[in-house]
Amino acid sequence: MSIAVLVDSSSGITPKLADEFHVRLVPIHLMWDKKEYADWVDITPDEFYARLKTSETLPTTSGSVQGDFYSIFEELRGKVDGIVAITLAANTPSAGYRSAVMAQEMVEGIPIEVIDSQSVATPLGLVATAAARAADAGADLKEVAEAAKRVIPKTNLFLNPGSISYFLRLGRISESEVDSREESYIITVKEGKLTASGDKYATQEEGRNRLKELMQEKARKDTPLHAAVVHAAAREEAEEFKKWIASQYNCAELWIGEASPVLAIHMSPDTLGIGFYNE
């Protein structure tokens, strides 16, 4: 029994990590100066940040990625026994989940299950890695899907953006949730929607310290922890955060994810965050 696990590129999973975890990345798209780019395919994070420094315009996310899901579903038809496709939260403005469902309805001859992760960034990635481990162990389609679904209600996400302005510009965070754009905020997910948690700090250093405090409050030490750091142009900080987590917890899974260009549109440079769940 061979089950393929797909996850969209907002998961924080890089192409290198995708190979290690045995998952297939489905690229979300962005629009910049009337040209469309696919995450990790047409533009990398380094290229994105370099252009961001000099561009007079700002990118936006694109619409449906139905064609990308459809192409991969068709490519895998006849090569695997089934597909589990995991997407970012269905009630986000992105059309990822709806696109996957529409593509699923167009493909015949292979069972496909589309799963709403109810999150974004590394919690989405952690749902995918749980599914991939089940698939690698020989689980069937239903068992792989159930492995993913068991993780979803356990996941936590906390982000400290480099600038809240990026979230505000595209409407991912409401102006009513923010007192000042100059303060440092903690972003989390509630009912599948990104929201400012109410935590705000005068400096980014205080925001970073709050990330550690939130882990200490929410992550248990009596059971194995699955955790993934996510960053946007903050690799050194991500490495230090990972080392701290490894020193504090019994980690069954610990990796560093990177914001793809589409994810970085919202997060902004210098963003650091953490997704995790306990077994």
Side-chain angles (χ1 to χ4, degrees):
M1 179 67 68
S2 174
I3 304 299
V5 176
L6 276 58
V7 66
D8 74 53
S9 60
S10 72
S11 60
I13 292 178
T14 65
K16 182 179 179 181
L17 287 171
D19 288 340
E20 293 177 10
F21 296 144
H22 303 154
V23 300
R24 180 75 174 266
L25 283 180
V26 182
I28 298 180
H29 294 216
L30 63 88
M31 295 294 297
W32 208 342
D33 293 333
K34 299 181 180 180
K35 184 176 179 181
E36 190 164 354
Y37 300 85
D39 259 356
W40 294 111
V41 178
D42 302 318
I43 188 169
T44 66
D46 287 345
E47 293 167 342
F48 174 86
Y49 296 123
R51 182 172 172 180
L52 194 64
K53 290 177 182 178
T54 60
S55 177
E56 295 181 357
T57 62
L58 293 173
T60 60
T61 50
S62 184
S64 172
V65 289
Q66 176 182 338
D68 294 89
F69 278 105
Y70 176 78
S71 295
I72 296 174
F73 290 166
E74 280 290 332
E75 175 193 336
L76 292 172
R77 186 160 60 94
K79 297 179 181 178
V80 297
D81 299 307
I83 300 171
V84 173
I86 304 165
T87 75
L88 77 170
N91 61 359
T92 64
S94 170
Y97 176 78
R98 296 183 294 279
S99 296
V101 170
M102 287 188 290
Q104 174 192 31
E105 294 171 350
M106 295 168 62
V107 177
E108 298 180 351
I110 183 170
I112 301 170
E113 179 144 3
V114 179
I115 296 175
D116 170 8
S117 73
Q118 300 176 32
S119 194
V120 68
T122 46
L124 165 56
L126 290 168
V127 175
T129 58
R133 283 193 296 274
D136 286 346
D140 62 22
L141 182 71
K142 181 179 179 181
E143 292 167 334
V144 171
E146 286 301 318
K149 291 174 182 177
R150 282 195 298 270
V151 168
I152 291 170
K154 301 178 183 180
T155 59
N156 298 269
L157 172 66
F158 299 105
L159 300 170
N160 179 228
S163 171
I164 196 68
S165 296
Y166 284 67
F167 282 99
L168 293 171
R169 180 176 65 87
L170 293 173
R172 298 309 191 259
I173 297 295
S174 169
E175 292 277 359
S176 63
E177 298 179 69
V178 174
D179 292 330
S180 167
R181 293 178 179 233
E182 304 305 315
E183 293 177 302
S184 187
Y185 290 84
I186 299 295
I187 305 299
T188 188
V189 173
K190 292 183 179 179
E191 298 178 352
K193 288 187 64 177
L194 289 168
T195 180
S197 66
D199 293 341
K200 59 182 180 179
Y201 304 92
T203 67
Q204 188 179 81
E205 181 180 2
E206 292 175 311
R208 301 300 208 229
N209 289 335
R210 182 57 179 154
L211 287 178
K212 289 184 178 180
E213 292 174 355
L214 285 164
M215 280 210 72
Q216 291 170 328
E217 292 171 14
K218 303 291 185 179
R220 303 198 318 274
K221 296 187 176 182
D222 58 339
T223 62
L225 183 75
H226 294 254
V229 179
V230 63
H231 76 94
R235 183 77 194 190
E236 290 186 8
E237 280 193 281
E239 293 284 1
E240 289 302 315
F241 197 12
K242 179 185 175 185
K243 289 178 183 177
W244 177 81
I245 294 168
S247 72
Q248 299 293 312
Y249 297 93
N250 172 24
C251 293
E253 176 180 8
L254 178 60
W255 45 274
I256 294 177
E258 184 172 6
S260 69
V262 163
L263 199 53
I265 289 173
H266 311 294
M267 285 189 174
S268 84
D270 296 324
T271 291
L272 185 68
I274 181 67
F276 61 91
Y277 70 93
N278 282 96
E279 291 184 6

